[in-house]
Amino acid sequence: MNGFRPGLGPALVVLALLPVLIGLGFWQLSRAEEKRALLAAAELRRVASPVDLENLASSDDPAWLRVRLEGHFDPRHSLLLDSRIRDGRAGVELLQPFQDASGRWVLVNRGWLPWPDRREPPRFQTPEGPQRLIAWGYVPPGAAFELKPSAASDWPQLVNQVDAAALWQHLARTGLPLELRLEGGPAAYRTDWAVVAMGPEKHLGYAAQWFALATALLGLFIYYGLRKGRENDHEPSTRHA
């Protein structure tokens, strides 16, 4: 009768790898659920009525909270957030200081601009006069942004990361330490930001891959054990002949 004899080495490999693969699969499932909850919360806030700047400033959770702004842009101190890709095209995001009627400054992201030729600066215009805007609070994941001070003549600054609080300190102004992303309108450029960099469907796809690898590993282990069992069952008769 055929036996199942995979051997100690393969058994130890499976015991080490199988829980890891299954754990990674369930972790991706949990990440997918987190992303679904995040998208649902963001959608609720993005369709809610906007609040004033003081309510936004006092909020413990300003992410995706819509806010009304009334004031004017500062065209002298623009930031160009580099390495922003849209539809395979290189570009930047334009961020400009905006002074609200309350007197407080905020950093408004007006959206994405194409930058096809690095030898020429990106072209943009700043709306003049009083502006009424609707924007929403953006809280970046991971480490905080960082702005390295430079000479006043270097504006607009090309940066890879931006820290609103450091900008206000650099300009000696009182401002909200938060990026506000502008909704579509006359003052906006391209504003189709994704709420999350990776959607739930991606995590589900990765989970399926991890579970498939676990299944393949277990299948190979069973196949190898059965084959070794058959080989071992034939060894006595071969030696006797």
Side-chain angles (χ1 to χ4, degrees):
M1 182 176 66
N2 294 336
F4 179 70
R5 301 175 184 177
L8 180 61
L12 291 176
V13 171
V14 171
L15 286 175
L17 291 181
L18 190 62
V20 174
L21 296 175
I22 294 176
L24 287 171
F26 280 108
W27 177 72
Q28 289 292 347
L29 290 179
S30 67
R31 291 289 291 155
E33 186 59 34
E34 290 174 5
K35 292 296 180 65
R36 278 193 288 263
L38 195 63
L39 289 170
E43 184 61 24
L44 286 175
R45 287 198 164 194
R46 294 279 293 274
V47 299
S49 299
V51 301
D52 58 31
L53 190 57
E54 292 303 319
N55 286 331
L56 178 72
S58 62
S59 174
D60 294 331
D61 184 15
W64 308 298
L65 196 61
R66 299 178 75 211
V67 58
R68 295 185 301 269
L69 302 173
E70 186 171 354
H72 63 274
F73 283 103
D74 171 11
R76 294 181 52 204
H77 301 104
S78 301
L79 301 176
L80 302 175
L81 189 57
D82 199 8
S83 304
R84 308 294 106 174
I85 306 298
R86 294 290 188 280
D87 302 329
R89 300 163 61 201
V92 295
E93 290 178 12
L94 172 62
L95 297 101
Q96 290 183 299
F98 184 91
Q99 188 174 32
D100 186 66
S102 63
R104 183 174 299 191
W105 287 90
V106 293
L107 185 60
V108 174
N109 190 329
R110 296 178 56 198
W112 180 85
L113 294 168
W115 193 9
D117 189 350
R118 303 284 293 196
R119 295 169 297 182
E120 299 181 2
R123 297 180 180 180
F124 62 89
Q125 294 181 342
T126 302
E128 298 180 356
Q131 303 291 317
R132 292 184 177 180
L133 309 174
I134 301 294
W136 52 275
Y138 173 67
V139 178
F145 284 170
E146 178 182 0
L147 171 67
K148 295 182 179 180
S150 60
S153 59
D154 290 342
W155 301 96
Q157 290 190 10
L158 183 65
V159 296
N160 290 320
Q161 296 178 329
V162 181
D163 183 343
L167 176 64
W168 306 136
Q169 183 177 7
H170 184 58
L171 298 177
R173 295 176 179 175
T174 301
L176 192 66
L178 179 70
E179 175 187 338
L180 300 183
R181 292 189 163 182
L182 194 59
E183 293 188 355
Y189 288 99
R190 183 170 173 178
T191 59
D192 55 340
W193 291 287
V195 174
V196 292
M198 184 185 298
E201 65 284 349
K202 287 285 188 180
H203 290 287
L204 292 176
Y206 288 139
Q209 292 178 15
W210 288 121
F211 289 139
L213 287 173
T215 302
L217 177 65
L218 186 59
L220 288 173
F221 176 67
I222 294 173
Y223 170 77
Y224 179 78
L226 292 175
R227 192 185 71 176
K228 291 295 291 183
R230 288 195 296 269
E231 290 176 354
N232 291 335
D233 286 343
H234 285 83
E235 282 182 1
S237 59
T238 302
R239 286 195 297 266
H240 180 74

